[in-house]
Amino acid sequence: MTLITPARLGLLSALCLVAAAVITFGEEAHAATAPCDDTAALQQRLNDFDAHWNASDAWGLTAQFAPEGSLGADAPAGRQAVYRELVERLGRSTTKRQTRVVRATAVGAACLVDVQVKSGERSEPGLFLLAASRDGGIVAMR
């Protein structure tokens, strides 16, 4: 009997991201306005991400991450780690990427964005944890 399936592992990772956001943004949550209210602005942030991804621009992608950002709950944090992982992922990517907002949920001062990522014929769900301000960047993604 398999207790940990890929679906359960994905859910566990998402819950870890949410817990990290709540801890990270703590008291700021009460004072901040919800960053999830403007779906068009969220979609534009994802479009910007995809534009850098499709141009194989690892520097441009890394700049969109918060200084403590990561590429998942079990990935090393920090822009250097993000950059190294993005260079590797971009080297394996041969098709254009398009990300669409499915749902956005406020998590303290951050926004957990469920997305659908289409790459070639493949389409799969993903998550972005975005800081409240555009300058705050991507806290984590998977």
Side-chain angles (χ1 to χ4, degrees):
M1 178 169 98
T2 304
L3 294 177
I4 298 182
T5 65
R8 287 183 182 157
L9 186 57
L11 178 60
L12 180 61
S13 296
L15 291 174
C16 289
L17 289 174
V18 170
V22 170
I23 291 167
T24 301
F25 295 108
E27 294 177 7
E28 298 171 21
H30 300 292
T33 59
C36 298
D37 293 341
D38 189 350
T39 304
L42 290 173
Q43 185 61 58
Q44 185 57 52
R45 287 179 80 174
L46 296 172
N47 292 347
D48 292 346
F49 184 89
D50 288 344
H52 288 285
W53 184 280
N54 293 334
S56 294
D57 178 9
W59 285 116
L61 286 167
T62 302
Q64 294 183 32
F65 279 80
E68 71 283 356
S70 73
L71 290 170
D74 59 347
R79 285 191 175 142
Q80 288 181 339
V82 167
Y83 177 77
R84 284 191 298 273
E85 179 66 23
L86 286 171
V87 167
E88 183 179 319
R89 288 186 186 189
L90 289 171
R92 295 187 311 246
S93 176
T94 59
T95 57
K96 297 295 182 193
R97 171 189 174 111
Q98 182 179 14
T99 307
R100 180 180 56 84
V101 173
V102 174
R103 176 180 48 244
T105 308
V107 180
C111 184
L112 183 64
V113 185
D114 290 289
V115 299
Q116 192 67 32
V117 181
K118 184 170 169 61
S119 183
E121 296 298 315
R122 225 173 108 183
S123 183
E124 61 188 24
L127 289 170
F128 279 79
L129 183 61
L130 304 174
S133 71
R134 185 174 183 85
D135 295 338
I138 299 168
V139 177
M141 69 168 272
R142 77 158 181 89

